Amino acid sequence: MLSGIRTQPFQSGRGPLSPGSRAGLGAALALLALVSAMELADGPTAHYIALMVTAPMLAAALGSWRVVLGVGVLATAIGGSFALAEQTLSLVSAVNVAGVALATGIAGAVAAVRQRQSEKIAELSRLASVAQQAVLRPLGPQVGTLAVAARYISSTARAEIGGDLYEAMDTPYGVRMIIGDVRGKGLDAVRLASIVLGSYRHVAYERADLRAVVTDLDRAVARNVGDEDFVTAALVEERGGTLTIVNCGHPPPLLLRRGAVIPLEPPAPAPPLGFMPVVRPRVERLEPGDRLLLFTDGLGEARRDGEFFPTADRAWRLLGHGTVADGLASLETALVEWVHGRLDDDIALFLMEYTGPRSEVTAAVPSWEVGAAES
């Protein structure tokens, strides 16, 4: 969920400079060089010392407070040298040098405050990312009779975390999968996603009917959300080559079969979890080699210049080759290229392939029991 957070903390000043500090230092030094050249070309009387105040201010916009102070000290020293080079030190030049020194102190304080805030935000984002990754455990490459892979694509438009979720388990009732999307973002969304997944990991082993699983999840959501909060979800069960899907306000999965892409729309619409959904299952018979793509609505909303990403049109070319992990990697690459690297919402992707019926494996008889087995 937050595996792609791109917030980069500012360096504390020890060790290599951060890119921001390097940029601020370079811009400030270039400005000092320009003002110094103007002052030298103007003659013995200093007229441009006051312009040097912009150097520490410019550094404060990007660099650390240590970089700002270094630039400010250099600007003050250069300004002072120009003031002392005058035949008679004027009051205006002295005031200008003092102004550069004062501006350096102010800029350093501003940079220190900004740096602390940036480091706190980066740390909170990192902790949120760790929490989110703990909620979404790694999946694959095989669950029961299915080859599976999952990917989480974080939004690059804003460094926020979302509540997209997925899970797959081999239960006594077959391989059961869920994909869902919590309304909203932030730690509250991650908390609700963890509640849904925690409940699902329990009831998926206890309830024989997916509709009963939906009922239990709906109660868990209703106990932990406000009036306007909800979770869209699609629950899938594969058992003996039969696919059963129940959909609670979620984008329908896409079935990929022999070059065709088939949206598995539910028999009747149902509201999300939290609104007491009454679901009707959709049942499909699988063929070996069939693939099923589950995704959250961030994929359907991805667009550039008002044109949505053509998921259904390109799904087979992107997802129908190699392993399921290869397919998801191709889809992510094509998607990021389509939106020029800017997504408005996080996206969870889950791809499974039905490899055929489960083979019956006979346990080997230990060599010392061969005689007993034959008697």
Side-chain angles (χ1 to χ4, degrees):
M1 290 175 174
L2 198 60
S3 57
I5 284 184
R6 293 168 172 79
T7 302
Q8 181 175 0
F10 288 87
Q11 301 292 334
S12 62
R14 296 180 176 87
L17 293 177
S18 69
S21 292
R22 288 197 297 270
L25 178 60
L29 292 179
L31 180 62
L32 283 178
L34 177 62
V35 175
S36 298
M38 293 169 57
E39 196 68 80
L40 289 172
D42 192 55
T45 304
H47 293 116
Y48 303 107
I49 294 176
L51 293 179
M52 293 184 180
V53 75
T54 57
M57 292 297 182
L58 179 61
L62 299 171
S64 67
W65 64 269
R66 287 181 172 85
V67 169
V68 173
L69 291 183
V71 170
V73 169
L74 179 61
T76 303
I78 294 174
S81 65
F82 280 120
L84 293 175
E86 293 180 325
Q87 295 179 352
T88 303
L89 179 63
S90 66
L91 178 61
V92 173
S93 296
V95 170
N96 287 338
V97 173
V100 174
L102 178 61
T104 297
I106 295 173
V110 170
V113 172
R114 176 186 51 75
Q115 184 176 335
R116 283 197 298 269
Q117 290 177 339
S118 298
E119 289 172 350
K120 288 180 180 179
I121 292 173
E123 180 65 14
L124 288 174
S125 297
R126 188 189 67 82
L127 292 175
S129 177
V130 171
Q132 203 167 35
Q133 292 173 11
V135 170
L136 293 179
R137 65 185 184 90
L139 297 180
Q142 192 81 18
V143 179
T145 59
L146 305 177
V148 302
R151 295 180 80 88
Y152 197 99
I153 307 174
S154 292
S155 169
T156 58
R158 296 180 298 272
E160 297 177 350
I161 58 177
D164 294 20
L165 58 97
Y166 52 77
E167 181 61 286
M169 300 179 298
D170 193 5
T171 74
Y173 310 106
V175 179
R176 285 182 162 177
M177 298 153 278
I178 184 175
I179 190 163
D181 190 358
V182 176
R183 178 183 179 273
K185 287 184 176 293
L187 290 177
D188 287 340
V190 176
R191 179 186 64 83
L192 184 52
S194 68
I195 291 172
V196 173
L197 285 176
S199 300
Y200 178 76
R201 287 164 181 158
H202 173 71
V203 299
Y205 284 95
E206 303 295 328
R207 306 298 189 199
D209 193 325
L210 280 181
R211 290 171 293 188
V213 175
V214 168
T215 300
D216 288 342
L217 294 180
D218 178 69
R219 290 172 181 159
V221 171
R223 285 193 297 265
N224 291 278
V225 299
D227 295 336
E228 298 181 355
D229 295 324
F230 57 84
V231 182
T232 67
L235 285 72
V236 181
E237 175 187 287
E238 184 279 321
R239 187 174 187 180
T242 297
L243 192 70
T244 305
I245 304 171
V246 293
N247 196 313
C248 304
H250 200 77
L254 299 180
L255 176 63
L256 287 71
R257 172 178 294 168
R258 298 193 300 272
V261 179
I262 308 167
L264 300 183
E265 300 281 354
L273 299 174
F275 293 131
M276 296 183 293
V278 177
V279 295
R280 289 179 56 191
R282 173 162 182 165
V283 180
E284 296 284 336
R285 188 67 185 171
L286 291 175
E287 301 175 3
D290 282 353
R291 291 188 174 187
L292 187 74
L293 175 66
L294 308 174
F295 56 93
T296 53
D297 60 4
L299 179 61
E301 296 172 356
R303 59 186 178 271
R304 68 178 181 195
D305 301 327
E307 185 178 359
F308 290 96
F309 181 74
T311 303
D313 294 339
R314 303 182 64 180
W316 178 257
R317 295 197 303 273
L318 294 171
L319 301 171
H321 68 90
T323 66
V324 288
D326 294 335
L328 286 187
S330 296
L331 176 58
E332 179 179 1
T333 300
L335 177 66
V336 172
E337 181 181 354
W338 177 272
V339 299
H340 303 303
R342 297 188 64 85
L343 293 166
D344 294 328
D345 195 6
D346 293 350
I347 302 172
L349 301 172
F350 185 99
L351 184 64
M352 54 141 277
E353 179 180 354
Y354 177 63
T355 56
R358 190 189 302 266
S359 60
E360 298 294 334
V361 179
T362 304
V365 179
S367 60
W368 61 83
E369 293 186 3
V370 171
E374 294 176 349
S375 60

Coordinates of all heavy atoms in Angstrom, one line a residue, residues 21-59:
S21 N 19.7 19.9 -1.0 CA 20.8 20.8 -0.5 C 21.8 21.1 -1.6 O 22.3 22.2 -1.7 CB 21.5 20.1 0.7 OG 20.6 19.9 1.8
R22 N 22.1 20.1 -2.4 CA 23.0 20.4 -3.5 C 22.5 21.4 -4.5 O 23.2 22.3 -4.9 CB 23.4 19.1 -4.3 CG 24.3 18.2 -3.5 CD 24.9 17.1 -4.4 NE 23.9 16.3 -5.0 CZ 23.5 15.1 -4.5 NH1 23.9 14.7 -3.4 NH2 22.6 14.4 -5.2
A23 N 21.2 21.3 -4.8 CA 20.5 22.3 -5.7 C 20.5 23.7 -5.1 O 20.8 24.7 -5.7 CB 19.1 21.8 -6.0
G24 N 20.2 23.8 -3.8 CA 20.1 25.0 -3.1 C 21.5 25.7 -3.0 O 21.7 26.9 -3.2
L25 N 22.5 24.9 -2.7 CA 23.9 25.4 -2.6 C 24.4 25.9 -4.0 O 25.0 27.0 -4.1 CB 24.8 24.3 -2.1 CG 26.3 24.6 -2.0 CD1 26.5 25.8 -1.0 CD2 27.1 23.4 -1.5
G26 N 24.1 25.1 -5.0 CA 24.5 25.5 -6.4 C 23.9 26.8 -6.8 O 24.6 27.7 -7.4
A27 N 22.6 26.9 -6.6 CA 21.9 28.1 -7.0 C 22.4 29.3 -6.2 O 22.5 30.4 -6.8 CB 20.4 27.9 -6.8
A28 N 22.6 29.2 -4.9 CA 23.0 30.3 -4.1 C 24.4 30.7 -4.5 O 24.7 31.9 -4.6 CB 23.0 29.9 -2.6
L29 N 25.3 29.8 -4.7 CA 26.7 30.2 -5.1 C 26.7 30.9 -6.5 O 27.5 31.8 -6.7 CB 27.6 28.9 -5.2 CG 27.9 28.3 -3.8 CD1 28.7 27.0 -4.0 CD2 28.6 29.2 -2.9
A30 N 25.8 30.4 -7.4 CA 25.8 31.0 -8.7 C 25.3 32.5 -8.6 O 25.7 33.4 -9.2 CB 24.8 30.2 -9.6
L31 N 24.3 32.7 -7.7 CA 23.8 34.0 -7.4 C 24.9 34.9 -6.8 O 25.0 36.1 -7.2 CB 22.6 34.0 -6.5 CG 21.9 35.3 -6.2 CD1 21.4 36.0 -7.5 CD2 20.7 35.1 -5.2
L32 N 25.6 34.4 -5.9 CA 26.7 35.2 -5.3 C 27.8 35.6 -6.3 O 28.3 36.7 -6.3 CB 27.3 34.4 -4.1 CG 26.6 34.3 -2.8 CD1 27.3 33.5 -1.8 CD2 26.4 35.7 -2.2
A33 N 28.0 34.6 -7.2 CA 29.0 34.9 -8.2 C 28.5 36.0 -9.2 O 29.3 36.9 -9.6 CB 29.3 33.6 -9.0
L34 N 27.2 36.0 -9.5 CA 26.7 37.0 -10.4 C 26.7 38.4 -9.7 O 27.1 39.4 -10.3 CB 25.2 36.6 -10.7 CG 24.5 37.6 -11.6 CD1 25.2 37.8 -12.9 CD2 23.0 37.1 -11.8
V35 N 26.3 38.4 -8.5 CA 26.3 39.7 -7.8 C 27.7 40.3 -7.6 O 28.0 41.5 -7.7 CB 25.6 39.6 -6.4 CG1 25.7 40.9 -5.6 CG2 24.1 39.2 -6.6
S36 N 28.6 39.4 -7.3 CA 30.0 39.8 -7.1 C 30.6 40.3 -8.4 O 31.3 41.4 -8.5 CB 30.9 38.6 -6.7 OG 30.5 38.1 -5.4
A37 N 30.2 39.7 -9.6 CA 30.7 40.2 -10.9 C 30.1 41.5 -11.1 O 30.8 42.4 -11.7 CB 30.3 39.2 -11.9
M38 N 28.8 41.7 -10.8 CA 28.2 43.0 -11.0 C 28.9 44.1 -10.2 O 29.2 45.2 -10.6 CB 26.7 43.0 -10.7 CG 25.9 42.1 -11.6 SD 24.2 41.8 -11.0 CE 23.7 43.5 -10.8
E39 N 29.2 43.7 -8.9 CA 29.9 44.7 -8.0 C 31.3 45.1 -8.5 O 31.7 46.2 -8.5 CB 29.9 44.1 -6.6 CG 30.2 45.1 -5.5 CD 29.0 46.1 -5.3 OE1 28.1 45.7 -4.7 OE2 29.2 47.2 -5.8
L40 N 32.0 44.1 -9.0 CA 33.4 44.3 -9.5 C 33.3 45.2 -10.7 O 34.2 46.1 -10.9 CB 34.1 43.0 -9.8 CG 34.5 42.2 -8.6 CD1 35.0 40.8 -9.0 CD2 35.6 42.9 -7.7
A41 N 32.3 45.0 -11.6 CA 32.3 45.7 -12.8 C 31.8 47.2 -12.6 O 32.0 48.1 -13.4 CB 31.3 45.0 -13.8
D42 N 31.2 47.4 -11.4 CA 30.6 48.7 -11.2 C 31.6 49.7 -10.6 O 31.3 50.9 -10.7 CB 29.4 48.6 -10.2 CG 28.6 49.8 -10.0 OD1 28.1 50.3 -11.1 OD2 28.4 50.3 -8.9
G43 N 32.7 49.3 -10.2 CA 33.7 50.2 -9.7 C 33.9 50.1 -8.2 O 33.4 49.2 -7.5
P44 N 34.7 51.0 -7.6 CA 35.1 50.9 -6.2 C 33.9 51.1 -5.2 O 34.0 50.7 -4.0 CB 36.1 52.0 -6.0 CG 35.8 53.0 -7.1 CD 35.2 52.2 -8.2
T45 N 32.9 51.8 -5.6 CA 31.7 52.0 -4.7 C 30.8 50.9 -4.7 O 30.3 50.5 -5.8 CB 31.0 53.3 -5.0 OG1 31.9 54.4 -5.0 CG2 29.9 53.6 -4.0
A46 N 30.4 50.3 -3.5 CA 29.5 49.2 -3.4 C 28.1 49.6 -3.6 O 27.6 50.5 -2.8 CB 29.7 48.4 -2.1
H47 N 27.4 49.0 -4.6 CA 26.0 49.3 -4.8 C 25.1 48.1 -4.7 O 23.9 48.3 -4.6 CB 25.8 49.9 -6.2 CG 26.4 51.3 -6.3 ND1 27.4 51.5 -7.2 CD2 26.2 52.5 -5.7 CE1 27.8 52.8 -7.1 NE2 27.0 53.4 -6.2
Y48 N 25.6 46.9 -4.7 CA 24.8 45.7 -4.8 C 24.9 44.7 -3.7 O 24.5 43.6 -3.8 CB 25.1 45.0 -6.1 CG 25.0 45.8 -7.4 CD1 26.1 46.3 -8.0 CD2 23.8 46.2 -7.8 CE1 26.0 47.1 -9.2 CE2 23.6 47.0 -9.0 CZ 24.8 47.4 -9.6 OH 24.7 48.2 -10.7
I49 N 25.5 45.2 -2.6 CA 25.6 44.3 -1.4 C 24.3 43.8 -0.9 O 24.1 42.6 -0.5 CB 26.4 45.1 -0.2 CG1 27.8 45.4 -0.7 CG2 26.3 44.2 1.0 CD1 28.6 46.2 0.4
A50 N 23.3 44.6 -1.0 CA 21.9 44.2 -0.5 C 21.4 43.0 -1.2 O 20.6 42.2 -0.7 CB 21.0 45.4 -0.6
L51 N 21.8 42.9 -2.5 CA 21.3 41.7 -3.3 C 21.8 40.4 -2.8 O 21.2 39.4 -3.1 CB 21.7 41.9 -4.8 CG 21.0 43.1 -5.5 CD1 21.6 43.1 -7.0 CD2 19.5 42.9 -5.5
M52 N 22.9 40.4 -2.0 CA 23.4 39.2 -1.5 C 22.5 38.5 -0.5 O 22.7 37.4 -0.1 CB 24.8 39.4 -0.9 CG 25.8 39.8 -2.0 SD 27.5 39.9 -1.4 CE 28.4 40.4 -2.9
V53 N 21.6 39.3 0.1 CA 20.6 38.7 1.0 C 19.8 37.6 0.4 O 19.3 36.7 1.1 CB 19.7 39.8 1.6 CG1 18.7 40.2 0.6 CG2 19.1 39.4 2.9
T54 N 19.7 37.6 -0.9 CA 18.8 36.6 -1.6 C 19.5 35.2 -1.6 O 18.9 34.2 -1.8 CB 18.5 37.0 -3.0 OG1 19.8 37.2 -3.7 CG2 17.7 38.3 -3.1
A55 N 20.8 35.2 -1.4 CA 21.6 33.9 -1.5 C 21.1 33.0 -0.3 O 20.8 31.8 -0.6 CB 23.1 34.1 -1.5
P56 N 21.2 33.4 0.9 CA 20.8 32.5 2.0 C 19.3 32.2 1.9 O 18.8 31.1 2.3 CB 21.1 33.2 3.3 CG 21.3 34.6 2.9 CD 21.8 34.6 1.5
M57 N 18.5 33.2 1.5 CA 17.0 32.9 1.3 C 16.8 31.8 0.3 O 15.9 31.0 0.4 CB 16.3 34.2 1.0 CG 16.3 35.3 2.1 SD 15.4 34.7 3.5 CE 15.5 36.2 4.6
L58 N 17.5 31.9 -0.8 CA 17.4 30.9 -1.9 C 17.8 29.5 -1.4 O 17.2 28.5 -1.6 CB 18.2 31.3 -3.1 CG 18.2 30.3 -4.3 CD1 16.8 30.2 -4.8 CD2 19.1 30.8 -5.4
A59 N 18.9 29.5 -0.6 CA 19.4 28.2 -0.1 C 18.4 27.6 0.9 O 18.2 26.4 1.0 CB 20.7 28.4 0.6

